[in-house]
């Protein structure tokens, strides 16, 4: 069954959990999340902090990737994203640990948070509730609460921008209000251009969802913000679209993946290059050369480019476009974008 993406009523009917609305609400989440992070009370003293570790899994870790990639070139201290139950060995009293779990019940994040407390790390919690909220309250750890009732991956604005605001308020990040304002403006415009009532011919997200057909997307982005966006596109194709997808970063992929693009395999894939205007000149040169190699192997190729100014707006603009495409991919195939039953089943099996 294929749902007609030119029929807004059919789109609504195929999206009972309203994932399209959640994806379109990203601008407001970023604005409100930033304000609540900047206004957070009781943040730890970070004057002698030598590193930040963001602990989270899945959708709750992406906020950490946003911080890591946007501030890598601007911060004297490293920001690391820890997607495991184990804290890195170097984390200690001079480390700020930001524990991020939308549900507050993710085992890896809870374990890493407990370990951070044991080691005397400075800690901040971002969550909508669950065991993490209880444990933060029990230990007097500053908690930034985000609204519940969303899928974690659809709460990216809350999860990333509360952390951003809190790290700014604590004195680790420079003032970000101008970049946040640009991001909100760019995201609002993008949501309007990709809305359900904009027909396929004028709607880039619907068009790309149709062009994919039943091929597997492979997303490329420049190491840094491009690669973070590429990874997000992949996981959104998986969780919203219910399809396999892969990603890699430029120029790493030019040292291995390009060799694998060969007939007849290419025909099963669409390579989507996520581009921005501040790429390193050599990386900008590599993209068309590498896309041509994939095309020679039979792959279709697409380019998605942002013209936003700040790194933050560039990254979120690339992300929101993939979010929209992934929802239309699901709707077109008659798959419900919202539930992730397989993840719930795994969590239940491991808890039991
Ligand atoms: C589901 C999703 C998942 C979760 C992950 C961790 O929408 O995005 O990747 O984010 O299973 O759960 P939380 O975010 O509750 O810590």
């Amino acid at each position: 069954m294929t749902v007609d993406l030119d029929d807004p009523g059919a789109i609504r009917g195929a999206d009972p959990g309203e994932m399209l609305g959640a994806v379109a609400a990203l601008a407001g989440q970023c604005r409100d999340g930033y304000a609540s992070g900047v206004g957070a009370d009781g943040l730890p003293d970070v004057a002698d902090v030598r590193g930040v570790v963001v602990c989270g899994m899945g959708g709750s870790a992406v906020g950490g990737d946003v911080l890591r990639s946007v501030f890598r070139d601007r911060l004297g201290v490293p920001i690391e994203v820890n997607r495991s139950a184990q804290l890195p060995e170097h984390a200690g009293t001079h480390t700020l640990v930001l524990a991020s779990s939308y549900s507050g019940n993710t085992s890896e994040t809870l374990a890493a948070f407990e370990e951070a407390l044991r080691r005397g790390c400075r800690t901040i919690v971002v969550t909508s509730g669950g065991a993490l909220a209880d444990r933060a309250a029990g230990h007097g750890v500053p908690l930034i609460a985000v609204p519940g009732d969303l899928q974690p991956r659809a709460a990216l604005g809350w999860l990333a921008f509360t952390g951003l605001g809190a790290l700014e308020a604590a004195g680790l990040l420079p003032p970000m209000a101008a970049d946040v304002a640009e991001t909100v403006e760019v995201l609002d415009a993008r949501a309007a251009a990709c809305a359900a009532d904009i027909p396929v011919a004028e709607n880039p997200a619907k068009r790309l969802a149709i062009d994919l057909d039943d091929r597997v997307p492979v997303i490329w982005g420049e190491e840094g913000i491009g690669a973070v966006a590429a990874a997000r596109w992949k996981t959104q194709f998986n969780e919203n679209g219910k399809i396999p997808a892969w990603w890699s970063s430029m120029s790493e992929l030019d040292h291995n993946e390009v060799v694998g693009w060969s007939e007849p395999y290419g025909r099963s894939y669409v390579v989507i290059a996520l581009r921005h205007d501040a790429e390193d000149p050599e990386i900008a040169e590599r993209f068309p050369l590498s896309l041509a190699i994939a095309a020679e192997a039979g792959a279709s190729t697409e380019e998605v480019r942002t013209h936003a100014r700040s790194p933050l707006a560039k990254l979120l603009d690339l992300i929101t476009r993939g979010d929209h495409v992934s929802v239309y991919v699901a709707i077109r195939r008659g798959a419900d974008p919202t539930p992730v039953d397989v993840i719930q089943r795994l969590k239940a099996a491991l808890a039991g």
Side-chain angles (χ1 to χ4, degrees):
M1 146 193 172
T2 306
V3 170
D4 179 5
L5 294 185
D6 268 333
D7 179 347
I11 290 174
R12 267 192 300 280
D15 182 22
E18 296 181 13
M19 184 55 83
L20 194 56
V23 157
L26 184 58
Q29 286 190 15
C30 294
R31 186 191 52 232
D32 297 347
Y34 176 66
S36 91
V38 166
D41 289 327
L43 295 174
D45 179 12
V46 296
D48 57 350
V49 154
R50 296 190 202 127
V52 178
V53 180
V54 181
C55 297
M57 302 302 297
S60 292
V62 182
D65 292 331
V66 170
L67 297 172
R68 174 179 57 78
S69 62
V70 168
F71 294 104
R72 184 171 178 269
D73 303 333
R74 289 199 261 172
L75 266 194
V77 298
I79 300 184
E80 180 176 339
V81 183
N82 175 42
R83 287 178 161 88
S84 79
Q86 287 79 35
L87 267 189
E89 185 55 32
H90 66 74
T93 51
H94 294 283
T95 306
L96 175 65
V97 169
L98 179 70
S100 165
S101 169
Y102 185 74
S103 63
N105 292 321
T106 296
S107 61
E108 296 94 325
T109 314
L110 286 166
F113 174 66
E114 297 285 356
E115 180 60 19
L117 293 177
R118 266 193 299 277
R119 291 198 204 165
C121 302
R122 263 89 13 123
T123 45
I124 301 175
V125 161
V126 175
T127 185
S128 71
L132 188 58
D134 294 342
R135 290 183 203 177
H139 288 94
V141 170
L143 180 150
I144 309 176
V146 298
D149 288 335
L150 288 166
Q151 281 288 332
R153 63 189 184 279
L156 174 63
W158 287 113
L159 295 165
F161 281 66
T162 48
L164 181 82
L167 295 191
E168 176 186 324
L172 262 180
L173 300 184
M176 292 298 297
D179 292 5
V180 172
E182 186 205 4
T183 304
V184 168
E185 197 180 315
V186 166
L187 291 177
D188 265 337
R190 201 59 76 188
C194 298
D197 56 350
I198 305 292
V200 171
E202 294 150 37
N203 189 319
K206 289 182 179 179
R207 256 207 330 267
L208 187 44
I210 291 169
D211 287 349
L212 277 178
D213 204 6
D214 57 1
R215 286 169 301 184
V216 176
V218 173
I219 308 101
W220 292 351
E222 184 190 29
E223 178 65 19
I225 59 171
V228 168
R232 168 73 173 188
W233 275 61
K234 177 228 183 272
T235 57
Q236 290 290 73
F237 276 132
N238 300 150
E239 292 181 77
N240 292 338
K242 276 79 184 174
I243 60 170
W246 309 104
W247 72 278
S248 28
S249 79
M250 186 66 88
S251 59
E252 174 65 18
L253 74 92
D254 273 359
H255 297 276
N256 34 61
E257 182 179 320
V258 279
V259 187
W261 284 106
S262 58
E263 283 276 26
Y265 299 101
R267 278 178 257 151
S268 314
Y269 296 92
V270 178
V271 180
I272 305 169
L274 304 184
R275 310 289 311 270
H276 62 81
D277 297 340
E279 286 162 359
D280 175 89
E282 191 194 287
I283 297 283
E285 210 178 321
R286 284 177 180 274
F287 270 110
L289 295 171
S290 309
L291 286 168
I293 293 170
E296 276 162 30
S300 296
T301 62
E302 300 268 353
E303 195 176 275
V304 172
R305 182 178 282 274
T306 176
H307 299 293
R309 177 193 56 79
S310 65
L312 188 65
K314 282 184 174 64
L315 173 54
L316 271 293
D317 188 21
L318 290 173
I319 283 178
T320 198
R321 288 154 81 170
D323 288 359
H324 281 88
V325 177
S326 68
V327 176
Y328 284 124
V329 162
I331 290 174
R332 180 165 180 268
R333 305 171 55 231
D336 184 346
T338 301
V340 281
D341 297 343
V342 179
I343 297 179
Q344 302 313 337
R345 219 162 60 216
L346 279 170
K347 285 185 179 180
L350 288 162

